Amino acid sequence: GQTGSVNFQNLTYNITSFYVNTWWQHLYLGVGACNLALEKLPGFTTTVSDADRQNMLAEAHTLRALFYFYLVRMYGDVPKVTSVPKTLDLNLPRTPAKAIYDSIIIPDLLFAAQSTLPWQDGSGRVSMGAVKSLLADVYLTYAGAAINGGAANYALSAAASKEVIDKGGYTLFPEYTNMIDPSKKNSGEFIFQVQYSAAANGNNPLTALTIPNYAGISKYSDEYGSVYPTPQFIKSFPAGDKRVQERQFFYTKYKKKDAADTVHFTNTYIYKWFDVNAVTNTAKSDLNYTMYRLADVYLMYAEASNRAEGTPNADAIKYVNQIRARAKLAPIGALSQTAFEQEVWLQRYYELCFENKMWFDMIRTRKVHNDVTGNWDNFIGHTTVFGATFAEKNLLFPLPKRETDVNPNILPNNPGL
């Protein structure tokens, strides 16, 4: 139901595919907004206090790091833009991804880490907890492919995530359904979220996008049903895993709108953005979209510390077991480094599914979970349940044709595209 989605399902997307251009465009719009803020904020010396101005600068640096973090993971080498253009000559060459990390992403976050941002922010603005969580993710990614930064960066990732855990203030929700309660936005397990507000006509579109296609269960006139898990993925969950039980992360039936009967769906659908009030009453979802939550940070620490130290430590095992306990799974005991790493990957796969994490995990680990065999396949050569096979060219998205047409300096395009 979504524009060109089949081209991503069968891996035939190309330089003109809709999302390839949309992602690029909006990420650079974000970079541009941050650059403008970084240029103008120092001039506000009479209307904004020094402390507030420094924190605003920290927010802008954090968001610019976030936008570039997505750009390099998705496109590899990209143009480096760190100031507001003064002319229309924007034909910049590509800068190596490692240099973008070294000169923008990591320095921006380290700058923000020196600010006096609050540890948490109930309004949803950038907090120090968000800065440290993003830094943990950046170092973990930098340590793996394609940068291959190694053990030192795994240690840095572990240190950043451990700080988030130890400083406190964030706690796992006791129930998965707490995450779809709008009253709990920017609190509890949530560290950093994209903000939506139904009252301000900024409602979250994901609720409609994940309601079964024209099922007639909601007040929405546009039940798209275009994003849902494969049967193989659902069957791959271990026996007794609460996350796959009805109305936890997924659902298979629901009461028909304004009627007593229950609709049983053809497929299993995602319950992670099921805003009950929006579905049954307002057709305007007030849920936020989560970028980082504590479960993610627990698993980042477990993976990074295991790599840095060569074996899982007691805290790493404890955090994985907390994730498992909420899922009603038995605790793990002592495991080898490799076995523990694969357990962490598996918990990320299940816990963070449909939260825009797994693609990036696949890219940095070069591994894909095979839902049929239960093995971790090499990324290159893995054949999906749709019959498409990942090749080296799929490690990066192509640069959009709209960009290469106006800026030949960013050619050649990514391999195979």
Side-chain angles (χ1 to χ4, degrees), residues 44 274 347:
F44 288 91
F274 195 94
Q347 291 309 316

PDB file of all heavy atoms in Angstrom, residues 44 274 347:
ATOM      1  N   PHE A  44      22.590  35.844  20.029  1.00  0.00           N
ATOM      2  CA  PHE A  44      21.516  36.190  20.959  1.00  0.00           C
ATOM      3  C   PHE A  44      22.093  36.371  22.370  1.00  0.00           C
ATOM      4  O   PHE A  44      21.852  35.578  23.279  1.00  0.00           O
ATOM      5  CB  PHE A  44      20.429  35.114  20.948  1.00  0.00           C
ATOM      6  CG  PHE A  44      19.601  35.106  19.709  1.00  0.00           C
ATOM      7  CD1 PHE A  44      19.958  34.320  18.615  1.00  0.00           C
ATOM      8  CD2 PHE A  44      18.466  35.896  19.597  1.00  0.00           C
ATOM      9  CE1 PHE A  44      19.204  34.311  17.466  1.00  0.00           C
ATOM     10  CE2 PHE A  44      17.703  35.898  18.442  1.00  0.00           C
ATOM     11  CZ  PHE A  44      18.071  35.101  17.364  1.00  0.00           C
ATOM     12  N   PHE A 274      -0.580   1.149  18.398  1.00  0.00           N
ATOM     13  CA  PHE A 274      -2.037   1.080  18.468  1.00  0.00           C
ATOM     14  C   PHE A 274      -2.516   2.024  19.564  1.00  0.00           C
ATOM     15  O   PHE A 274      -2.500   1.695  20.749  1.00  0.00           O
ATOM     16  CB  PHE A 274      -2.494  -0.355  18.751  1.00  0.00           C
ATOM     17  CG  PHE A 274      -3.957  -0.592  18.489  1.00  0.00           C
ATOM     18  CD1 PHE A 274      -4.387  -1.080  17.273  1.00  0.00           C
ATOM     19  CD2 PHE A 274      -4.898  -0.331  19.470  1.00  0.00           C
ATOM     20  CE1 PHE A 274      -5.736  -1.306  17.028  1.00  0.00           C
ATOM     21  CE2 PHE A 274      -6.249  -0.551  19.245  1.00  0.00           C
ATOM     22  CZ  PHE A 274      -6.677  -1.041  18.019  1.00  0.00           C
ATOM     23  N   GLN A 347      17.791 -10.676  21.054  1.00  0.00           N
ATOM     24  CA  GLN A 347      16.909  -9.848  21.875  1.00  0.00           C
ATOM     25  C   GLN A 347      16.666  -8.488  21.220  1.00  0.00           C
ATOM     26  O   GLN A 347      15.560  -7.946  21.297  1.00  0.00           O
ATOM     27  CB  GLN A 347      17.474  -9.686  23.286  1.00  0.00           C
ATOM     28  CG  GLN A 347      17.439 -10.967  24.102  1.00  0.00           C
ATOM     29  CD  GLN A 347      16.074 -11.626  24.108  1.00  0.00           C
ATOM     30  OE1 GLN A 347      15.043 -10.968  24.269  1.00  0.00           O
ATOM     31  NE2 GLN A 347      16.054 -12.936  23.910  1.00  0.00           N
TER      32      GLN A 347
END
